[in-house]
């Protein structure tokens, strides 16, 4: 098979640069050796800095969906409220239903952000001890406001454990975990971290770990107590994906060289560029105002461009575009601008997009 794939302009997996991919061919090291502990210590310290946290950092060798369950099975005793405003928050709620929890769902029309008054309403019933929110709904390009939720929890529900999916925002958007008081923040590596898929990262508060000690029937594989025991030895409970760890170390070096604050600013600037590009073409944004993501722009295709034709032409020019998630296909399309996509890459992609639009006489 020819190994010459189009450059990815989909919101995950995102484009991985050659210098990061090269790290994946580093010689293997043993997973119970001093070498791996040095590697893990470097990564954990780096992730703590990027997340502004002193919480535990666990490195996990599977996709982020597994961490949805790590969050819930270690913390839910009474029930969990899920804010559902897109495909991923919906799947997380499904996972909780399948776990047999008492689940409350705050259902939003796709494109809307989480409304803190709704969260207040649900939690005021006293039936739930956990709140599960998706920071950046990748399916709709909606980024919800974590500060408002944080204020609510701190002032009225300090005992509620707060789980946040940051799969498409961690490492692209500033999330001050300790200041916000997030108990469990999870992400996989194939979005703003700019690594291949199949590896995940989470930060876990001490109080979640303490609560986990009182939860029964939580299994072994996702037990945070087990993870804590191993991370104290700078190891992981089972054999990890060591190539991902070499890749992650490289990304942390890249982030430090770029400057953490500069990285946040770059993502904001790229989101402004993509939004303006959409407006200049007479299109609209899909998310409600004030909830537009910094890592991807979800464009409402009011000009009714033929997305499949555009896709064909972009593929010929070496780009794989996004055509909208699930039932939104064609009605929206998403432009990712995160991780290894820099302003020059975005401009290059959108200039090529313009060439295609011109050719199709839009
Ligand atoms: N949560 C969000 C917001 C996502 O965008 C995705 C994947 O796109 C997931 C969870 C699932 O991540 P994974 O495929 O690593 O399980």
């Amino acid at each position: 098979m020819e190994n010459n794939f189009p450059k990815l302009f989909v919101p995950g997996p995102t484009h991985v640069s050659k210098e990061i991919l090269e790290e994946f061919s580093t010689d293997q090291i043993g997973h119970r050796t001093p070498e791996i502990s040095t590697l893990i210590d470097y990564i954990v310290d780096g992730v703590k800095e990027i997340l502004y946290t002193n919480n535990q950092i666990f490195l996990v060798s599977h996709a982020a969906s597994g961490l949805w369950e790590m969050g819930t099975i270690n913390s839910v005793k009474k029930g969990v409220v899920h804010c559902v405003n897109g495909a991923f928050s919906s799947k997380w709620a499904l996972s909780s239903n399948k776990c047999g929890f008492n689940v409350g769902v705050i259902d939003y029309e796709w494109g809307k952000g989480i409304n803190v008054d709704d969260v207040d309403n649900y939690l005021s019933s006293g039936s739930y001890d956990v709140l599960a929110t998706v920071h950046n709904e990748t399916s709709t390009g909606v980024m919800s406001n974590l500060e408002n939720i944080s204020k609510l929890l701190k002032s009225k529900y300090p005992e509620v454990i707060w789980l946040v999916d940051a799969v498409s925002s961690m490492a692209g958007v500033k999330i001050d975990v300790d200041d916000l008081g997030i108990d469990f923040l999870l992400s996989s590596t194939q979005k703003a971290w700019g690594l291949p898929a199949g590896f995940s990262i989470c930060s876990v508060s001490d109080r979640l770990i303490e609560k986990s000690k009182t939860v029964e029937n939580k299994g072994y594989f996702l037990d945070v107590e087990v993870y804590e025991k191993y991370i104290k030895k700078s190891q992981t409970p089972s054999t990890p994906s060591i190539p991902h760890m070499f890749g992650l170390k490289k990304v942390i070096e890249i982030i430090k060289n770029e400057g953490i604050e500069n990285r946040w600013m770059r993502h904001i600037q790229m989101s402004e560029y993509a939004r303006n590009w959409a407006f200049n073409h007479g299109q609209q944004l899909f998310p409600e105002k004030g909830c537009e993501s910094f890592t991807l722009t979800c464009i409402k295709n009011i000009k009714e461009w033929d997305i499949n034709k555009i896709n064909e032409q972009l593929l010929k020019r070496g780009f794989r575009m996004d055509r909208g998630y699930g039932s939104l296909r064609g009605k929206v399309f998403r432009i990712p601008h995160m991780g290894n996509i820099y302003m020059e890459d975005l401009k290059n992609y959108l200039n090529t997009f313009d060439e295609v639009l011109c050719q199709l006489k839009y």
Side-chain angles (χ1 to χ4, degrees):
M1 194 163 101
E2 201 190 337
N3 186 10
N4 193 11
F5 298 115
K7 184 164 177 174
L8 291 178
F9 261 84
V10 295
T14 57
H15 169 68
V16 183
S17 62
K18 285 273 179 288
E19 67 170 334
I20 294 171
L21 280 179
E22 274 166 14
E23 296 298 316
F24 279 68
S25 56
T26 308
D27 286 339
Q28 287 295 281
I29 55 178
H31 75 298
R32 300 283 179 236
T33 59
E35 295 91 288
I36 194 111
S37 295
T38 305
L39 181 60
I40 288 179
D41 285 346
Y42 180 85
I43 294 171
V44 165
D45 287 349
V47 172
K48 282 186 175 177
E49 217 179 305
I50 292 162
L51 300 182
Y52 307 84
T53 188
N54 286 315
N55 282 350
Q56 300 283 350
I57 303 297
F58 298 156
L59 305 174
V60 180
S61 296
H62 55 74
S65 314
L67 291 186
W68 287 338
E69 287 174 22
M70 180 187 275
T72 52
I73 63 176
N74 283 283
S75 63
V76 179
K77 291 177 96 171
K78 281 201 276 184
V80 52
V81 174
H82 282 270
C83 300
V84 172
N85 60 346
F88 295 102
S89 41
S90 169
K91 279 191 197 167
W92 193 2
L94 174 68
S95 125
S96 285
N97 273 313
K98 297 247 177 202
C99 286
F101 301 133
N102 164 32
V103 177
V105 171
I106 310 179
D107 228 335
Y108 293 97
E109 195 187 323
W110 285 27
K112 301 276 186 221
I114 299 168
N115 181 329
V116 75
D117 294 335
D118 300 329
V119 177
D120 192 5
N121 247 338
Y122 264 73
L123 292 180
S124 65
S125 70
S127 311
Y128 308 101
D129 53 351
V130 176
L131 172 68
T133 55
V134 172
H135 179 213
N136 199 60
E137 235 315 336
T138 322
S139 59
T140 60
V142 165
M143 193 169 73
S144 286
N145 186 316
L146 296 179
E147 281 81 16
N148 290 343
I149 302 172
S150 164
K151 276 187 202 141
L152 172 76
L153 296 181
K154 281 182 188 164
S155 63
K156 290 182 77 175
Y157 308 101
E159 74 293 349
V160 166
I161 294 283
W162 187 19
L163 316 176
V164 179
D165 170 325
V167 167
S168 56
S169 53
M170 189 191 284
V173 179
K174 180 171 185 173
I175 305 174
D176 190 328
V177 170
D178 288 356
D179 191 53
L180 291 163
I182 298 171
D183 292 293
F184 189 78
L185 185 79
L186 71 102
S187 178
S188 36
T189 47
Q190 73 274 18
K191 310 270 185 186
W193 285 102
L195 286 160
F199 196 82
S200 302
I201 298 167
C202 59
S203 74
V204 190
S205 70
D206 289 341
R207 70 183 198 137
L208 190 148
I209 296 172
E210 280 311 304
K211 189 168 181 196
S212 169
K213 292 178 184 162
T214 68
V215 174
E216 287 174 358
N217 298 324
K218 56 186 171 167
Y220 175 82
F221 190 60
L222 297 172
D223 182 353
V224 293
E225 283 188 80
V226 177
Y227 265 90
E228 190 197 25
K229 182 177 140 204
Y230 278 90
I231 203 64
K232 279 190 172 151
K233 298 188 277 184
S234 304
Q235 291 183 5
T236 51
S238 41
T239 323
S241 171
I242 294 160
H244 272 100
M245 290 186 169
F246 285 120
L248 187 49
K249 174 170 179 277
K250 182 73 188 174
V251 172
I252 291 169
E253 285 165 5
I254 291 171
I255 294 176
K256 285 185 176 172
N257 281 338
E258 182 177 13
I260 297 177
E261 299 293 327
N262 294 339
R263 189 173 178 92
W264 311 145
M265 189 45 72
R266 166 164 70 93
H267 283 77
I268 292 171
Q269 285 167 347
M270 290 192 297
S271 68
E272 283 166 355
Y273 189 89
R275 289 174 205 171
N276 284 332
W277 178 87
F279 295 139
N280 290 338
H281 287 77
Q283 297 278 31
Q284 289 176 359
L285 302 183
F286 185 69
E288 69 172 317
K289 215 168 165 33
C291 294
E292 303 90 345
S293 167
F294 292 151
T295 54
L296 71 137
T297 295
C298 187
I299 296 172
K300 191 169 171 186
N301 185 17
I302 57 162
K303 302 292 281 183
E304 298 187 352
W305 293 342
D306 186 330
I307 297 300
N308 288 331
K309 278 196 185 148
I310 295 173
N311 181 44
E312 267 168 37
Q313 292 304 319
L314 279 171
L315 279 174
K316 284 187 190 157
R317 289 164 171 80
F319 291 106
R320 160 89 49 206
M321 78 174 291
D322 170 76
R323 289 175 287 162
Y325 190 95
S327 58
L328 291 177
R329 177 164 282 209
K331 294 184 199 131
V332 308
F333 60 97
R334 297 169 298 172
I335 298 175
H337 29 76
M338 58 178 125
N340 302 309
I341 295 169
Y342 292 80
M343 189 58 105
E344 280 317 298
D345 303 297
L346 179 63
K347 285 185 178 171
N348 189 15
Y349 175 63
L350 292 178
N351 286 341
T352 312
F353 208 121
D354 281 341
E355 268 174 41
V356 170
L357 291 176
C358 205
Q359 185 192 329
L360 296 174
K361 306 211 182 320
Y362 284 126

